[in-house]
Amino acid sequence: MTISLSKGQRIDLTKTNPGLTKVVVGLGWDTNKYSGGQDFDLDASAFLLHEDGKAKGADDFVFYNNPNGGAGSVVYTGDNRTGEGDGDDEQVIVDFSKVPTHIQRIGITVTIYDYETRAQNFGQVSNAFVRVVDASTDREVLRFDLGEDFSTETAVVFCEFYRNGADWKFQAIGSGFGGGLSALCKNYGLDAQ
């Protein structure tokens, strides 16, 4: 049975799902029809954060130009440039058993590629969701539907995984940013140039 979360909610992930070590984080969305005429290219990213809440370098930032990080514990599976079709538009695989011990949190984010040129924002995106699937059984463990809370934002932190002793927890975040990927990078301590 899938657990549906609301914004801000936290849940035990590995403690309540014994044996869960590897998950597929599926991210999806629909784009509203509008007159801009260009495809929406939304991109998932993962930020691997140290004790101070910051990423420190390339291995801590997983996205379309660096699809593998955290010593191989986090993998971005590929770029969907249109968001067409049902189900997950993009996926990030997280293997908790391989996450380096100095990484305390993993932020999962989605940004709009080339939002300035295309004049796009999350106000034009609907039905955005994140779901966590047990990679070994293909069972959907939890789901967070973001709702329609965004207007001019061009980047959204969907959720975070975080350590709690030997276990991992999940927090539904749903917080928006202006400034796209570079603003998110700055928020997490990286220079996006």
Side-chain angles (χ1 to χ4, degrees), residues 125-147:
V125 174
S126 57
N127 304 322
F129 68 85
V130 57
R131 65 191 196 108
V132 176
V133 176
D134 183 334
S136 64
T137 64
D138 215 25
R139 178 179 67 91
E140 187 175 289
V141 177
L142 62 87
R143 181 182 181 98
F144 169 41
D145 291 299
L146 270 72

Side-chain angles (χ1 to χ4, degrees), residues 28-147:
W29 50 80
D30 294 320
T31 52
N32 302 334
K33 299 295 176 223
Y34 75 112
S35 59
Q38 299 194 52
D39 283 335
F40 267 77
D41 181 4
L42 274 64
D43 296 313
S45 304
F47 291 88
L48 287 77
L49 309 175
H50 296 242
E51 189 72 51
D52 63 359
K54 301 294 183 193
K56 304 296 184 191
D59 197 51
D60 297 341
F61 178 34
V62 176
F63 72 119
Y64 54 87
N65 279 340
N66 186 38
N68 195 316
S73 63
V74 179
V75 177
Y76 173 75
T77 63
D79 192 4
N80 174 336
R81 296 192 175 179
T82 64
E84 291 294 316
D86 293 332
D88 299 343
D89 291 308
E90 294 199 359
Q91 294 180 331
V92 175
I93 298 168
V94 179
D95 187 339
F96 296 117
S97 68
K98 293 182 180 175
V99 176
T101 54
H102 61 271
I103 298 299
Q104 297 300 304
R105 300 177 86 84
I106 301 170
I108 305 292
T109 68
V110 175
T111 55
I112 301 174
Y113 180 76
D114 203 21
Y115 67 91
E116 288 170 309
T117 307
R118 299 179 187 188
Q120 296 172 341
N121 60 55
F122 273 95
Q124 299 158 327
V125 174
S126 57
N127 304 322
F129 68 85
V130 57
R131 65 191 196 108
V132 176
V133 176
D134 183 334
S136 64
T137 64
D138 215 25
R139 178 179 67 91
E140 187 175 289
V141 177
L142 62 87
R143 181 182 181 98
F144 169 41
D145 291 299
L146 270 72

